[in-house]
Amino acid sequence: MNQRLQGTDGIRGRTAPSTKGDLPLPFYQKTGLLTPEFFELYLYAYGLLLQESGLAQAQDPVVLGWDPRDKAGTFIQAALQGLRKAGLTPCSLGVIPTPGVPLYLLRSGAKGGVMLTASHNPADQNGIKLFHPYLGLKFLLQDDLALSAKIFTLAATDLAPLPLLTKIADHQAQAREFFLQIHQDPRNSWLRAGAGKDLILAIDASRGAVAPFVKEIFAPQVAELHLFCLDGEVNQHAGVAEIEGCEWIYEEEVAQGAWQGFEALEGLFRLALRPEVQGGEKKLVGLVFDGDGDRCFRLDYIVSAQALKVSSGDHLGVMQARYLTAQGKRGLFVHTVESDLQIAQAAAQLGLETRLTGVGDKWILAQACLEQIAQEASSKELKTLAQTPPASLSGVQLALAYGAQLQAQGATKLEPKFLLGLEESGHAITPCHLNTPFGETYGYAGNGLKAGLNSLAAGLGLSEEELIEPFVAGVKQTYYCYFVDKKRLLAGSRFLVAFKPRIEGLAQEHLGAEIDFRLRPFLEEKDLFFLDLLQKGERVGALFLRNSGTEDKSALYLRGDLRFKEPLLALGAALHQELLMRLKNEQSPFCRFELDLLRAIQGGTAVEAVGQNYPQLPLSRLLAEMERKEGVIEREKGLFKVTPKGIYLLEQLS
C-alpha cells in the first residue's frame, strides 16, 4: 500500500541539489532528501489533482509564495515548472509569510495555494504547504492520502520533456500591498492609534519571510521599533523554535551560556539597560517569529526579575481571550493537546466554549472553517460536511461544495462563532476581515504577525504579575529525543506494547500505587499515544508520546495539576532518560555524530575535531539540540560538560 508522504503540515526535510540521475520519488524514499526534481513532481501531481477533482480547470491561477531559504531559487523554479507542466498558471507572490498565501488565495479567487517553506526548521531544509480555494483550508489527512497516491502513480514518469503550458503571472507587488493592508486594517489589528506610545518593541524576524514586512506593520504602532535577524540563514540563532519550552531568559545565559550569539536577545538586554525601561516609564517587549511567519512568541522584560519572560502560545492565547471577552465577545476557543491542562478551565471561566484538537494548526483551522460553514450552509451536503470529523473529511470535497454555494449566493458575512484558536508552539488563528470576489467575509490562517499585533493590544495595562502568569497554569514540560527510529512510536508497535507497562509502573512509583490510567484516542493522529493519569477518577495529569511530523525527533509531553508538580517532573525525567536510550536510531549519521560528541566532551576533546569527521552535518545545530532540547550536555564557565542524563545515554548505547 502506498504510504502517506506528508507529516503534520505538508512535506518537509533536508535537501539535496539533485537526484543524481535517479527518479525523484525513489531517491526521496531511499535518502529522505528533498530535491528540485521532487518539488516539480509534487506540484505537477498537485496541479493534476486540482483539475481532476474539479477544483480547477486548465490555465486557472494557483498562488505560490516562499520564504527566503532557497537562495539559488532552484526549488522555486522547480515548483513553478511543476504547476506549468500541469497546465495551471502560477501566480508568483515572492517572499511572503505563510498566512499571506491562503489569505491572498481568498482575496484573488485563485484555485489553489502553495507555500515553499520548512517553517521553523533549519535552513538546510525546505518543504511544501498546500491550501484549498474558497476556504484557505490546509490539506487534511484525506487530501494528503489522495495527493500521495497521485505521486506514486507518477513515480516512473519523466517530467523533463513535458512542455510548459502556461506563463508565470507576477503578483508580488499586489500580494505585498494586500498583506500590509490587512494588518493595517483596524478590524484586524486590535492595537489602536497611539496605544503603543509607551512600548519599546524589539522584533526577531528569524531571518525569514516576515523580514520585508515587519517595519511597515509595527513601526506606526509603537514608540520605538528595533529590528533584529533580518537576513542570513533562516532560523539560525533566531526564531520561536530556539526558545520553545523556555520560560525565562537571563542576561548571563546570553553573555556566555546557551543563548550566546543570539542577536535579538543580546539586543533586548542592551535596550533593557536604558533608564526609562529600568524606571518603568517604558515597557520593553519582544516579538519572536519563525521562518515562515505563522508562529509568534512574546518576550517581556520584567524589571523586578531583570530577565525576559517568555510567553508562548498558551499565555498569548489567554491574554487575547481576556482582551476579546472584555470587549463583550463570546464564542469558540480551540486549543490542541500540547496546551496546558488548565487552559480549557481558564477559557471556560471567561465564558468561552472550548474544544480540543490534535497537534497542528491545520486542525484548529479546520474547526474555524467548519464553524463558518455550519453557520452559512444552505445545502444538505454542506450541512452534513460541517458535522464530519475533520480527520475523516476531504478538504477537496468541502471546498467544492462551499465554492458552489459562494458562486450561487455570494459571501454571507455572519459574525463568526469561532473566536480564537491557539497552539502552545505559537500558532494563533483569529478571524480576518477580507474582501473577496464573492463579497466581504472572514478568512482564517495561522498568522504570527496578527498574533503579535494583537498580543501588544492585549498586554497593554497588564502588571508584571499578570504578564508572568496570565492564568493559573499547571505542570507543563516537554522532553525531546532527536535522531530517532519513529517506527517505534507508531500505533500498536511492539515497542509501545512493551513500554506501556513500564510507563505505568514508573507513574505509580512516583505518583502512588492508586494512580490509574486511561488511553485516549485522537482521530486526527492515530499514532498519538495519549495517557490520562487518574486518581480516584479525577484527572491529575496526562502524558503523551508522539513523533514530530516535521523534524527528526520524538517527544514526551507531560501535563498536570500543580499539586503533583514534583512527582510529575520526577516521572518525566525518569521516562525521558529511558526514551533517549530506547528511541535513538543508531544507524542515523546524526545519532552517531551526537554519541561521538558526547564521548569527546566527556574525554576533554575539542568538539571541532569531531565535527571534521562529519563535514556534511551541522555541528552548531547538533550542540544546540543536545544542550537546550535534550539536556545531555550543559555549560560550566562557558565550556560544555556531559550531564548525568548524557552519561546514562553513553553507558547504555556504548
Side-chain angles (χ1 to χ4, degrees):
M1 186 174 68
N2 294 335
Q3 67 191 73
R4 175 176 168 240
L5 295 169
Q6 299 82 1
T8 304
D9 190 2
I11 192 165
R12 69 184 76 165
R14 294 174 63 222
T15 61
S18 78
T19 61
K20 301 178 181 177
D22 202 349
L23 289 168
L25 180 59
F27 182 85
Y28 173 69
Q29 290 177 297
K30 283 186 294 187
T31 66
L33 298 174
L34 297 171
T35 58
E37 295 94 328
F38 185 86
F39 268 44
E40 182 181 34
L41 172 64
Y42 199 92
L43 271 301
Y44 178 74
Y46 170 60
L48 295 184
L49 187 69
L50 284 178
Q51 293 171 83
E52 290 167 6
S53 69
L55 278 174
Q57 297 178 358
Q59 308 293 316
D60 274 348
V62 172
V63 300
L64 187 146
W66 53 86
D67 73 19
R69 73 183 65 225
D70 181 16
K71 306 297 185 187
T74 53
F75 288 85
I76 298 165
Q77 288 306 312
L80 291 165
Q81 283 185 184
L83 290 172
R84 294 173 71 192
K85 289 180 179 181
L88 296 176
T89 302
C91 301
S92 169
L93 308 188
V95 172
I96 193 169
T98 286
V101 170
L103 295 176
Y104 190 77
L105 165 65
L106 296 176
R107 172 68 184 88
S108 66
K111 302 303 182 182
V114 181
M115 179 69 184
L116 307 181
T117 180
S119 192
H120 60 278
N121 290 25
D124 64 348
Q125 301 184 28
N126 210 334
I128 303 171
K129 299 180 181 182
L130 300 175
F131 299 87
H132 290 299
Y134 307 116
L135 289 162
L137 182 64
K138 287 183 175 180
F139 264 42
L140 302 177
L141 286 175
Q142 301 306 314
D143 307 310
D144 286 346
L145 290 169
L147 179 57
S148 296
K150 173 60 69 176
I151 292 169
F152 276 99
T153 66
L154 297 167
T157 304
D158 181 8
L159 299 185
L162 296 185
L164 300 173
L165 301 174
T166 62
K167 294 182 178 180
I168 300 169
D170 185 357
H171 283 232
Q172 294 190 35
Q174 303 99 297
R176 175 180 173 79
E177 182 182 0
F178 161 78
F179 194 67
L180 290 171
Q181 180 271 323
I182 60 171
H183 290 87
Q184 293 159 354
D185 186 331
R187 297 173 300 174
N188 293 323
S189 170
W190 307 343
L191 199 61
R192 298 294 170 250
K197 59 182 175 57
D198 296 325
L199 294 180
I200 299 174
L201 178 62
I203 284 181
D204 174 353
S206 202
R207 315 186 199 282
V210 304
F213 297 90
V214 285
K215 182 176 181 180
E216 288 176 75
I217 289 174
F218 288 97
Q221 309 290 348
V222 295
E224 290 181 33
L225 178 65
H226 299 265
L227 302 176
F228 301 98
C229 307
L230 293 175
D231 51 31
E233 295 294 328
V234 173
N235 296 321
Q236 187 175 52
H237 287 165
V240 163
E242 295 283 7
I243 60 175
E244 192 171 8
C246 180
E247 292 188 19
W248 291 90
I249 297 173
Y250 296 92
E251 187 173 12
E252 56 268 27
E253 296 174 318
V254 176
Q256 58 180 4
W259 309 111
Q260 191 172 8
F262 279 70
E263 174 190 335
L265 298 179
E266 291 171 350
L268 274 158
F269 278 107
R270 285 197 303 272
L271 291 168
L273 296 174
R274 291 170 50 169
E276 62 268 37
V277 174
Q278 292 293 329
E281 292 84 20
K282 300 282 186 185
K283 281 191 174 182
L284 176 59
V285 179
L287 293 178
V288 183
F289 300 101
D290 68 340
D292 69 330
D294 64 352
R295 297 168 64 180
C296 178
F297 279 7
R298 172 174 166 145
L299 305 176
D300 285 278
Y301 184 75
I302 305 299
V303 177
S304 60
Q306 295 289 289
L308 293 168
K309 178 69 177 71
V310 181
S311 290
S312 57
D314 282 354
H315 280 203
L316 293 187
V318 173
M319 286 169 60
Q320 291 179 67
R322 282 186 170 180
Y323 178 90
L324 288 170
T325 54
Q327 313 299 312
K329 302 279 188 180
R330 294 294 184 272
L332 179 63
F333 178 97
V334 182
H335 62 100
T336 78
V337 294
E338 288 186 311
S339 285
D340 192 295
L341 289 186
Q342 308 304 315
I343 200 166
Q345 181 179 346
Q349 288 172 347
L350 293 170
L352 302 178
E353 177 189 343
T354 65
R355 193 171 297 166
L356 179 69
T357 75
V359 176
D361 74 325
K362 70 180 178 186
W363 300 117
I364 300 172
L365 183 60
Q367 293 291 340
C369 292
L370 288 174
E371 284 298 330
Q372 179 170 320
I373 289 171
Q375 289 179 267
E376 299 178 2
S378 59
S379 70
K380 183 178 179 180
E381 180 187 12
L382 263 183
K383 290 175 182 177
T384 301
L385 287 171
Q387 301 304 315
T388 304
S392 305
L393 190 64
S394 161
V396 168
Q397 185 182 1
L398 189 65
L400 281 168
Y402 188 62
Q405 177 171 298
L406 285 175
Q407 289 163 1
Q409 301 174 198
T412 306
K413 193 188 174 189
L414 300 174
E415 187 70 18
K417 178 183 176 184
F418 177 88
L419 190 67
L420 171 66
L422 67 93
E423 194 164 35
E424 165 62 3
S425 58
H427 293 111
I429 298 174
T430 51
C432 180
H433 293 260
L434 289 174
N435 291 311
T436 76
F438 305 103
E440 191 175 352
T441 187
Y442 294 95
Y444 303 93
N447 189 344
L449 290 156
K450 191 169 186 292
L453 272 173
N454 293 341
S455 80
L456 294 179
L460 292 173
L462 296 185
S463 66
E464 285 192 344
E465 292 74 17
E466 290 171 314
L467 289 169
I468 293 169
E469 191 176 45
F471 71 104
V472 180
V475 177
K476 183 175 64 180
Q477 189 71 40
T478 303
Y479 304 86
Y480 296 102
C481 303
Y482 281 79
F483 323 127
V484 295
D485 181 353
K486 291 186 175 182
K487 293 191 296 292
R488 296 175 192 175
L489 292 187
L490 298 182
S493 70
R494 285 193 295 176
F495 173 84
L496 272 181
V497 170
F499 196 59
K500 182 173 179 285
R502 180 61 175 156
I503 294 174
E504 293 174 348
L506 283 170
Q508 290 179 332
E509 178 183 325
H510 288 281
L511 293 164
E514 70 278 9
I515 286 291
D516 201 1
F517 310 94
R518 179 177 60 207
L519 200 59
R520 191 195 304 193
F522 280 84
L523 293 175
E524 302 98 328
E525 193 171 356
K526 65 181 180 64
D527 293 319
L528 178 65
F529 180 86
F530 193 104
L531 201 62
D532 281 320
L533 306 177
L534 309 171
Q535 187 180 70
K536 297 179 181 178
E538 177 191 1
R539 184 169 72 160
V540 298
L543 62 85
F544 59 99
L545 301 170
R546 75 178 294 271
N547 291 322
S548 169
T550 60
E551 297 179 70
D552 185 6
K553 70 179 182 183
S554 303
L556 162 69
Y557 298 79
L558 189 71
R559 308 291 187 258
D561 192 309
L562 271 181
R563 294 172 298 166
F564 300 87
K565 180 177 181 178
E566 289 188 15
L568 280 170
L569 292 179
L571 168 63
L575 283 171
H576 186 222
Q577 184 166 272
E578 292 208 17
L579 288 167
L580 277 171
M581 178 262 294
R582 293 172 182 263
L583 292 181
K584 289 287 182 184
N585 176 11
E586 294 182 67
Q587 303 307 309
S588 161
F590 279 90
C591 181
R592 295 196 297 270
F593 192 8
E594 178 180 24
L595 294 174
D596 284 351
L597 285 169
L598 283 172
R599 294 184 188 103
I601 293 168
Q602 191 176 43
T605 302
V607 295
E608 290 79 10
V610 182
Q612 292 174 5
N613 297 327
Y614 299 88
Q616 303 302 316
L617 303 184
L619 171 63
S620 62
R621 191 177 98 214
L622 237 76
L623 290 169
E625 288 165 348
M626 292 166 66
E627 179 185 15
R628 294 197 295 272
K629 302 298 185 179
E630 289 186 320
V632 294
I633 58 175
E634 61 186 3
R635 298 191 202 211
E636 190 174 84
K637 297 180 180 179
L639 300 175
F640 287 118
K641 73 172 191 176
V642 182
T643 65
K645 195 177 289 185
I647 293 171
Y648 179 82
L649 178 61
L650 271 180
E651 290 173 348
Q652 296 302 312
L653 295 185
S654 295

